[in-house]
Amino acid sequence: MWAKWKQETGGKVICNEFAVSVALPEMVRATYMEDFLYLLDNYNIPWSLYTTNSGEYGPIHKCYTELGLPMTTGFEVLENYAVDMAVLNVLQKHMTE
């Protein structure tokens, strides 16, 4: 709907504050992010990612143990941060300067 409106009117569209829950399996998180960013990129829609310090959303969190997730969920511990490497890799692939 928004893509059609943008094409028909020449209006501006931006996607603010989208996210994927860390409670989902690693493959689901990465696939969702890849598919969603592909659509935004395909229609030249700028975006920004929603993250929280509570550990519910976002690819990087302050303390891995606060997430309560087993190591098999795709997070790596780097300098006291829990990093969702699959989602982070997808985000880096789609980031532009």
Side-chain angles (χ1 to χ4, degrees), residues 49-70:
L49 182 70
Y50 176 75
T51 62
T52 64
N53 287 332
S54 67
E56 296 175 32
Y57 300 97
I60 301 174
H61 304 278
K62 286 185 180 180
C63 180
Y64 182 81
T65 56
E66 291 176 9
L67 292 175
L69 300 170

Side-chain angles (χ1 to χ4, degrees), residues 2-19:
W2 42 263
K4 183 179 178 184
W5 176 84
K6 180 182 177 191
Q7 290 174 336
E8 290 175 352
T9 66
K12 304 291 182 188
V13 175
I14 186 169
C15 181
N16 287 317
E17 296 191 358
F18 68 94

Side-chain angles (χ1 to χ4, degrees), residues 16-82:
N16 287 317
E17 296 191 358
F18 68 94
V20 63
S21 172
V22 298
L24 296 170
E26 176 184 11
M27 183 60 80
V28 173
R29 293 190 312 264
T31 301
Y32 167 84
M33 196 63 69
E34 178 65 44
D35 291 349
F36 193 72
L37 291 174
Y38 171 81
L39 287 172
L40 296 176
D41 289 349
N42 193 46
Y43 289 100
N44 296 313
I45 295 174
W47 53 271
S48 64
L49 182 70
Y50 176 75
T51 62
T52 64
N53 287 332
S54 67
E56 296 175 32
Y57 300 97
I60 301 174
H61 304 278
K62 286 185 180 180
C63 180
Y64 182 81
T65 56
E66 291 176 9
L67 292 175
L69 300 170
M71 288 299 289
T72 58
T73 60
F75 287 86
E76 290 186 27
V77 179
L78 301 172
E79 298 182 20
N80 295 324
Y81 289 90

